[in-house]
C-alpha cells in the first residue's frame, strides 16, 4: 500500500477538473450608459425610501423599535442542535449544525474572567498566545469572515476582575438589549475592548447575573451575516443554562 | 466615468487570473469538487462588489477565501469527493471518504500541501493562521488518514 502522501498526491490529480471561474463570469462587461445609470440610481433610491417607510410602519405597529442589527426573533433550537457543556462552571449552551464550539478555551492565559465556552460559524482552533491580547479571543475574531458570527461566554471568578453589578439575565437575548461596545470584562488594568477595533461588523458585550454567577457574553456578527445567522446568535444565547 | 470602470475591471481581471487557480484548489479542499466552482464564484463576486475595499487589503486572496468558505458553509451540504477513477494508481478506494470526514482545516492542509505542493507558508497566509498551526493540522490530518486507511507511518 502506497504511503498516504503519495495517495493524496495521486488522488489530487482527479480534483483538477473543476472549471475555472473567469473575471468575465463575474463582471458585467457592458459599460453602463449614463442615462441608464441615473435611472437605476433613481429607482434604487425610490425603493429604499419605500422600504424605509414600510419598516417604520412595521416597527411602530410592533410597539417598540428594533436596533439596526435586525429583529430579535430567536431561532428555536431543534433536535439537530448540539450542546456543549462546561462542568467546571456549570454552563451549557446549544447551537445549530452550522455552528461549532471551540475545542478548548480561546484565552488560555486569562485567569479572571475566563472564557470556558466559545462558538462560531467557522473553526475556532487558534487560541491566544502568551503576550498577545488576553482579554479577548482576538485570533478567533480575526478569523471571522464577513458572513460569520461568534459568541464567547465569560465567567467572572472574583479573583482579579472588577465587576460592575449588572442586571439580571434578560428573559430573551436580542439586538435591542443594551449591548456595550466598550466595556468588556474589565480587569484591574482596565484593558477594555481594545482588541476588537479591527473586527468588521457588530461587536458587543452584555454582562448579567444568573444563579449567583457573574457572566458576560461577547458577540461578534460579520457585516454580511445573513438574517438567519443573526437570529441564531440570539437563539443560541437563549439556550445558555447556568447551574448554581 | 466609463474609463474608470474599465480600469477597475482590468485590475479585477488581473487579480482573478492571479488568485483563481489557487483559490479553486483551496475551495475544492473545503467543499469538494461539485460545489467548489460555485464557492469560487461566490467569493469573487463578493470581491468585485466590494473591490475598492478588497483591493486595498494586505491579503485579498485570503479574505476572498474566507468569504467563499463561510458562504459555502451556510448552505449546510456535505463535502463530497469523487470516487477514485480506475486509471489513478496507488490510491485506496476509501481515501475520498476519509478525506471528507477530516476536519476542514486538516483536510485543506493535507490536500494543499501534499496534493498540490503548496508551501506551508502559503497555506498559512491563505488560512490566516501561523505556519506552526498549518503543520499541526497537517500532522493530525495525515495521522487520521493513516489510521482510517490502515497505512503504516513511514520511517
Amino acid at each position: 500500500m502506497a504511503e498516504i502522501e503519495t495517495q493524496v498526491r495521486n488522488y489530487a490529480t482527479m480534483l483538477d477538473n473543476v472549471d475555472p471561474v473567469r473575471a468575465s463570469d463575474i463582471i458585467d462587461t457592458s459599460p453602463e450608459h449614463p442615462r441608464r445609470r441615473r435611472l437605476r440610481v433613481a429607482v434604487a433610491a425610490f425603493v429604499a425610501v419605500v422600504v424605509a417607510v414600510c419598516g417604520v410602519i412595521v416597527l411602530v405597529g410592533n410597539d417598540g423599535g428594533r436596533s439596526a442589527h435586525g429583529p430579535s426573533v430567536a431561532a428555536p433550537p431543534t433536535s439537530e442542535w448540539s450542546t456543549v457543556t462546561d462542568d467546571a462552571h456549570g454552563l451549557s449552551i446549544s447551537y445549530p449544525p452550522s455552528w461549532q464550539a471551540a475545542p478548548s478555551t480561546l484565552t488560555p492565559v486569562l485567569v479572571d474572567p475566563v472564557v470556558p465556552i466559545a462558538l462560531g460559524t467557522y473553526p475556532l482552533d487558534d487560541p491566544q498566545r502568551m503576550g498577545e491580547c488576553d482579554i479577548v479571543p482576538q485570533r478567533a475574531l480575526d478569523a471571522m469572515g464577513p458572513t460569520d458570527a461568534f459568541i464567547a461566554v465569560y465567567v467572572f471568578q472574583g479573583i482579579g476582575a472588577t465587576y460592575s453589578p449588572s442586571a439580571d439575565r434578560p428573559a430573551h437575548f436580542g439586538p435591542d438589549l443594551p449591548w456595550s461596545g466598550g466595556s468588556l470584562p474589565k480587569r484591574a488594568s482596565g484593558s477594555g475592548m481594545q482588541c476588537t477595533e479591527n473586527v468588521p461588523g457588530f461587536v458587543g458585550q452584555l454582562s448579567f447575573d444568573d444563579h449567583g454567577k457573574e457572566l458576560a457574553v461577547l458577540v461578534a456578527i460579520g457585516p454580511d451575516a445573513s438574517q438567519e445567522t443573526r437570529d441564531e446568535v440570539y437563539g443560541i444565547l437563549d439556550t445558555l443554562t447556568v447551574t448554581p | 466615468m466609463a474609463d474608470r470602470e474599465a480600469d477597475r475591471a482590468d485590475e479585477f481581471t488581473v487579480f482573478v487570473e492571479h488568485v483563481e487557480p489557487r483559490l479553486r484548489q483551496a475551495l475544492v479542499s473545503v467543499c469538494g469538487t461539485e460545489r467548489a466552482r460555485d464557492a469560487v464564484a461566490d467569493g469573487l463576486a463578493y470581491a468585485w462588489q466590494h473591490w475598492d475595499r478588497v483591493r486595498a487589503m494586505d491579503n485579498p486572496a485570503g479574505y476572498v477565501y474566507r468569504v467563499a468558505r463561510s458562504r459555502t458553509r451556510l448552505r449546510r451540504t456535505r463535502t463530497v469527493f469523487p470516487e477514485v477513477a480506475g486509471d489513478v494508481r496507488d490510491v485506496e478506494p476509501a481515501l475520498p471518504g476519509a478525506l471528507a470526514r477530516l476536519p476542514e482545516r486538516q483536510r485543506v492542509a493535507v490536500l494543499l500541501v501534499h496534493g498540490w505542493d503548496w508551501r506551508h507558508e502559503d497555506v498559512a497566509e491563505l488560512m490566516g493562521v501561523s505556519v506552526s498551526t498549518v503543520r499541526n493540522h497537517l500532522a493530525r490530518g495525515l495521522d487520521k488518514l493513516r489510521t482510517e486507511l490502515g497505512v503504516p507511518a513511514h520511517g
Side-chain angles (χ1 to χ4, degrees):
Chain A
M1 186 180 294
E3 290 180 350
I4 201 67
E5 293 89 342
T6 305
Q7 293 198 39
V8 170
R9 182 182 309 279
N10 293 346
Y11 180 65
T13 61
M14 278 188 59
L15 306 179
D16 278 330
N17 61 358
V18 175
D19 291 336
V21 177
R22 304 184 196 291
S24 55
D25 299 333
I26 306 294
I27 302 172
D28 177 8
T29 50
S30 58
E32 196 170 23
H33 191 281
R35 188 183 302 163
R36 186 178 162 205
R37 173 185 292 271
R38 281 197 296 274
L39 177 63
R40 182 170 60 81
V41 170
V43 169
F46 176 74
V47 169
V49 168
V50 170
V51 168
V53 169
C54 292
V56 169
I57 292 171
V58 168
L59 290 174
V60 171
N62 283 344
D63 191 26
R66 304 289 193 197
S67 79
H69 309 303
S72 62
V73 180
T78 70
S79 59
E80 294 181 344
W81 285 39
S82 304
T83 298
V84 59
T85 60
D86 169 54
D87 294 334
H89 302 93
L91 305 178
S92 74
I93 196 166
S94 300
Y95 55 96
S98 55
W99 286 64
Q100 46 200 296
S104 58
T105 183
L106 296 175
T107 56
V109 182
L110 189 59
V111 175
D112 188 17
V114 292
V115 185
I117 292 177
L119 304 165
T121 56
Y122 55 103
L124 301 174
D125 49 11
D126 200 10
Q128 295 299 103
R129 312 291 203 275
M130 184 73 75
E132 296 179 343
C133 177
D134 57 359
I135 192 86
V136 165
Q138 187 176 18
R139 284 175 175 263
L141 287 172
D142 286 346
M144 188 177 80
T147 58
D148 284 324
F150 173 83
I151 294 172
V153 180
Y154 286 77
V155 181
F156 288 81
Q157 306 281 80
I159 302 171
T162 56
Y163 178 80
S164 303
S166 55
D168 288 339
R169 173 182 171 153
H172 291 289
F173 288 90
D176 45 359
L177 294 174
W179 294 92
S180 167
S183 59
L184 180 75
K186 290 175 182 165
R187 300 185 311 151
S189 58
S191 50
M193 286 182 77
Q194 72 272 27
C195 309
T196 65
E197 296 96 341
N198 297 324
V199 180
F202 170 71
V203 182
Q205 69 90 21
L206 190 70
S207 302
F208 54 90
D209 297 340
D210 192 339
H211 286 88
K213 288 192 167 73
E214 299 169 340
L215 305 176
V217 289
L218 170 67
V219 164
I221 302 175
D224 299 318
S226 66
Q227 191 60 54
E228 182 185 15
T229 298
R230 293 166 187 270
D231 291 344
E232 284 173 347
V233 167
Y234 304 111
I236 289 169
L237 290 174
D238 275 345
T239 71
L240 175 65
T241 60
V242 180
T243 305
Chain B
M1 180 72 78
D3 286 348
R4 183 166 173 270
E5 284 298 307
D7 288 346
R8 288 179 80 243
D10 288 346
E11 190 180 52
F12 180 72
T13 300
V14 171
F15 171 75
V16 171
E17 287 171 353
H18 179 65
V19 304
E20 195 276 342
R22 291 168 79 79
L23 189 62
R24 183 158 27 99
Q25 289 179 339
L27 289 166
V28 164
S29 307
V30 170
C31 55
T33 47
E34 289 185 5
R35 293 157 52 208
R37 191 176 190 279
D38 285 347
V40 174
D42 273 357
L44 291 175
Y46 182 93
W48 175 236
Q49 288 162 11
H50 303 82
W51 181 236
D52 289 339
R53 185 160 62 93
V54 172
R55 64 191 286 275
M57 293 178 172
D58 290 339
N59 181 14
Y63 187 77
V64 173
Y65 166 74
R66 276 158 51 186
V67 169
R69 198 194 66 193
S70 60
R71 291 189 169 197
T72 300
R73 203 165 39 243
L74 288 174
R75 297 202 186 99
R76 301 180 182 180
T77 51
R78 284 190 311 129
T79 299
V80 177
F81 290 102
E83 292 181 4
V84 180
D87 58 345
V88 177
R89 297 177 55 195
D90 293 332
V91 179
E92 291 297 306
L95 180 65
L99 278 170
R101 285 188 288 277
L102 283 182
E104 179 189 303
R105 291 192 178 197
Q106 293 178 17
R107 180 170 64 247
V108 171
V110 167
L111 275 170
L112 293 184
V113 171
H114 290 295
W116 287 298
D117 289 330
W118 283 41
R119 296 182 312 142
H120 293 179
E121 290 80 1
D122 294 335
V123 179
E125 183 180 8
L126 183 91
M127 295 171 75
V129 299
S130 65
V131 172
S132 63
T133 299
V134 170
R135 290 198 180 104
N136 286 339
H137 288 319
L138 190 59
R140 289 176 189 167
L142 290 173
D143 279 349
K144 283 182 183 167
L145 289 177
R146 287 191 191 100
T147 301
E148 189 155 345
L149 300 182
V151 178
H154 45 137

